[in-house]
Amino acid sequence: FIEAFGRSLRAMRTIWRSPANAQPFLLAGSGTLSMEVAVWNTLDPGQRALVVGTGYFSDRMATMLRRRGVDVISLTSELGHTVPPSEVAAVLEHTAVDAVCITHVDTSTGVRADVAGIAKVAKAAASWCWWTRCAPPLERRWTRARAVWMCT
């Protein structure tokens, strides 16, 4: 088990293009568990997060953040559609946030968010960006986030 676990950690560093001293966490549990771990270990009560709505999983993320005491701003679009980066930029132009949270592909709606575009506007606004991954394939260009979790 220890050897297999070590190989898994090395593989995760490769996938996320992380340095050798980065510490990925492999959790035996549901995607909800990994989301809770990320929320409770990266944001503090009183901080503010913008949640880009895509469906059930982004709603769940907002609930977890509120339970943590984070001030949540939800940005949603019509069911089956995604929030364009320009709308995220408009919010960030007038509102300081500590994190932008996105679900890449929300399997409840089939919506695929423009994570690269949203990450670009979040970076320009000096916010850091989370994204969740609920469907393959993994695209390596989205690895500049501070906290990333993946559920499969």
Side-chain angles (χ1 to χ4, degrees):
F1 172 78
I2 292 173
E3 288 178 21
F5 189 73
R7 283 193 307 273
S8 296
L9 292 177
R10 286 189 296 280
M12 291 302 292
R13 287 184 190 103
T14 300
I15 289 168
W16 299 117
R17 298 165 135 188
S18 300
N21 64 348
Q23 183 57 59
F25 292 93
L26 301 177
L27 302 172
S30 67
T32 299
L33 172 65
S34 65
M35 291 170 73
E36 287 278 7
V37 167
V39 165
W40 282 80
N41 285 284
T42 55
L43 286 172
D44 292 321
Q47 289 187 296
R48 181 177 292 156
L50 171 62
V51 176
V52 179
T54 55
Y56 178 78
F57 294 99
S58 57
D59 292 346
R60 183 188 298 181
M61 187 183 321
T63 298
M64 291 176 190
L65 289 162
R66 285 186 186 100
R67 192 169 37 235
R68 174 72 169 130
V70 174
D71 178 25
V72 174
I73 301 166
S74 293
L75 185 58
T76 60
S77 64
E78 185 179 332
L79 184 64
H81 296 276
T82 187
V83 175
S86 59
E87 289 185 26
V88 175
V91 170
L92 295 177
E93 185 177 323
H94 299 97
T95 308
V97 301
D98 299 294
V100 176
C101 306
I102 315 157
T103 300
H104 178 222
V105 176
D106 196 308
T107 53
S108 72
T109 59
V111 170
R112 179 178 185 240
D114 180 0
V115 175
I118 293 169
K120 184 177 180 179
V121 298
K123 183 178 179 183
S127 298
W128 51 271
C129 190
W130 283 355
W131 60 276
T132 65
R133 167 66 104 180
C134 292
L138 177 66
E139 296 188 33
R140 288 185 172 205
R141 66 177 180 234
W142 301 323
T143 56
R144 298 192 55 97
R146 183 181 206 182
V148 176
W149 63 92
M150 179 168 135
C151 54
T152 56

